Amino acid sequence: MTENHSNLISKLNPEQRVAVLHQDGPMLIVAGAGTGKTTVLINRLAYLVLDKEINPASVLLLTFTDKAASEMTERADQVMPYGYTDLWIKTFHSFCETVLRDHGLEIGLNSDFRLITQTQQWILIKKNLALFQLDYYSPTGNPDKFVSELIRHFSRLKDENVSPKDYVRAVTEQATMAQDTDDTLSEKLNQSRLEELSRAYMVYNQLLLDKKLLDFGDLILYTLKLFQERPNILAQYHQRFQYIMVDEFQDTNWSQYELLKMLARPENNLMAVGDDDQAIYKFRGASIANIMQFKEDFPNAKQVVLRHNYRSAQIILDHAYELIKNNNPYRLEEKLQINKQLIARPEQLGIVQELVYGAESDELAGTAEMIRALHASSDDIAWSDIAILARSNDTAERFAKELNRHNIPSLFVSMKGLYHKSVVLDCLAYLKILESGHDAGSMIRVLDMRQFRIDQGDLIKINRYARNKPVSLFEALQTINDIADLSQQTIAQVAKLMALITKHYQVASDQIMSKLFIQVVHDVFLGHLDQDNNHQDIDYLNQLYQKILTAEKLESRLNISDLLELIEMELDAGDTGLMKFNWEDSDVVKVMTIHSAKGLEFDQVFVVNMVDKRFPSIGISDKIPLLDSLVKEALPEGDYHLQEERRLCYVAMTRAKSGLYLTRALDYGGATKKKPSVFIAQAKVTNQFNMENVQSTQLEKDLAVMGQAVQLNNRSLVSNKFSFSQLQAFETCPWQYRYAYILKVPTEDKPTAIFGRLMHSVLKDYFAPCLISATPDLFSSDTVVDLSLERLQAIFNNSWSDYGYGSQETVEKYKTKGQQMIESMARISNEQKAPKILQLENQFMFKLNDYYLKGAIDRIDQLDDGSVEIIDYKTGSPKDKLDFEIKKQLLLYQVAMGSAKGLTVSKLSYYYLESGDKLSFTAKEAELEKLKHWALETIEAIRRMEFTAKPGQLCKFCDFKNICEYRA
């Protein structure tokens, strides 16, 4: 043993020393949190190379992330003498990529393949969707809905080493087995679904091969194929690698484990280092079964348990251990009869507290103030020693914004979100104007930028002028002097903007995209950035610039349209822009998800939103599950979701060195108080501090809401007439309301809206003969109303237009959907007596206190007892139940008919055209009063002109998502 390395070995604890000095044969190292597993791996590498004189190229060390591989390489450089450069420290994917580039031709694979990301997978499928011939997984209203789920499904198949032929074979066998029983309609539909999936998997993989592309799952899949079909190649790697070590073994999937076993044979010099209690990546395909059955696969394997923790105080480790014990008997501790309780350094002091707040806003503000107090309490606690860990990105973002509001230096460590950054949205909006000046939403955003800030009142005047002409907003700005009553400042700002657009339009025609971008940043943004975030904004713009440079390498003639289309496709795929952070040396509080915090440590850690349904979260199963016959890994036992959530909480707790704070609130906006997370009791945390009375002011609560309220000075901009759609839009998102009803940003018609109007018009014409005013003697014996399918078909065909649906494929889908609806309507109409209709498409307006409510009712039927039934047509899917939220529209109609017409309404009905279902109810007086209260409360909120963003699931369907930085 060399002298220097002998000194390093002497500093290891006994268990680490046993692991490092292990020579031949398999070994399992159960490495608890903070027990120095990286130290063990690097020192064993040094021991094999320096003391056993093994060629460094004969040792393969595999890990999971580029960051981990880079850190291990740096650590190896520190331990190894100068000159040892031929080290194989790689991720699984980079190792397989090297193998396939060297030997891929052996199995007919192009060696110059290009790797694609998940977003690029989505774009590839989207552009070639017609090839997949989807039916079951291609809903008419949203044909892209299942693309992401298909990608996840394909990824899971590759995790299990399932080839397209394997999938087809499994589906065929399933069909053969089903033939032995009486096929029900449900079974036939399921078989059709499986056949569609197996065909889609075949098409997807062939598409990749045709375009010389591989996804990350392919790297493992084809390497396994290579080694299985070309044993001579595998023999070369057996000779090359005498020793194999793998880090974070609990995160391997089935295919990766198969690859390890294949490479390790026949000597099986495989060292697996991992911790079953830190297995938190099931959503990425990781299989905890691998580490659980390692000793079964390698019965002669030696084992070492690393228990000496060099990170956390004993009190933190003890509470974490109390929590994770609740996963018994499904842990290695019980299976292998080992002791995994971690032991801290005696001198390490610590604290664990539960902080309970009244409302969510109090938890946000209270956590921020607690962080400020910790930082002020000791010179030894820097901002960078503190972290907030959350179960979800949405929760983390709320806390990041709260810290910013309190002027606490912080960084929200989210790997995605570049396209949500305000300065990037501004830049993309400006580029969109250069591409097409007629994009009103982008123009509105640019006019609202600090360098061109137009008075809100003037902006509305310009918009009104454009609508009345009618011309585009861009054209209106070109004749700005023709618009009356504008301030001189507005006219000057518009002139400055138009001059820049003219200049950059010329640059765009002469220069490549990257040159244009530099010119735009220099002329429009430099010198006008937020001074508090100047460096950060420049960094965001630089990251967008790097994306442009990368895109230009693939397409040298990249123009604005190409760039915007690429970004739009990424957004459609759910990719909000990958970001890079250089934050390790920054003195800022880190805010991140627990998954992102794996492998990190902080002196003070806040684990937030520790309440039921948030942490642990509600389990979500795969929308497209694998056939049981294709699953090769051993399936976990017990409540697996709760076990993984518990492991996630264990990981969060063991990130803390000295201080661990579990925070929660009693009120998150629901009707009842939130229950504390079961994990708090299971961790036996009794050191509770009740912060309910530490209330933030109402101003602080309001400011804490994401997207601070924007005040408009001129209340006359808000009308005193409101429709149900307006009230609903404001409740959904006031910021969206501002765009749609205050600024009146023009939007393109969506196919769903065009189709909805068409069906309403068709049904109005179809039922017109049933109007009492048109046929007074409707029910006399000699009156016949033609409600035949033939007549309805003729009305539909005469009303149909292909305009606005986009592709011919979409036209055909909506046309087919319409045909199905009218067939259903005609059948039901002929099975019942003709309705006695009072009104069709009835326009109404009535006064509620000082305001007017307006709208249109699809149909009002006269019932036999003299009362009426109000009917509203729906072209979407029927609801499972009618709660107050669903009832509101019809309740408003009943209030309107009672106030404006004096009608007695006894029945309210939603008619779902797609299914033919009719859901009816009778309004209760309490519901009508609740509706009035809701309407008045919403109107008052609008009249106060406080437009606050409410990002959420519906953002993806918002007309203004491309110009809104608050979108989720």
Side-chain angles (χ1 to χ4, degrees), residues 121-132:
Q121 289 174 263
W122 193 97
I123 293 172
L124 180 71
I125 294 176
K126 163 75 173 176
K127 288 185 173 179
N128 296 277
L129 203 55
L131 297 177
F132 288 80

Side-chain angles (χ1 to χ4, degrees), residues 56-68:
S58 296
V59 183
L60 175 63
L61 202 167
L62 293 172
T63 186
F64 277 85
T65 66
D66 291 329
K67 184 173 183 288

Side-chain angles (χ1 to χ4, degrees), residues 249-254 282 285-291 633-634 640:
F249 182 66
Q250 77 278 353
D251 295 335
T252 55
N253 60 40
W254 189 90
K282 177 64 178 173
S287 172
I288 193 175
N290 294 344
I291 194 169
E633 65 177 285
Y640 185 76

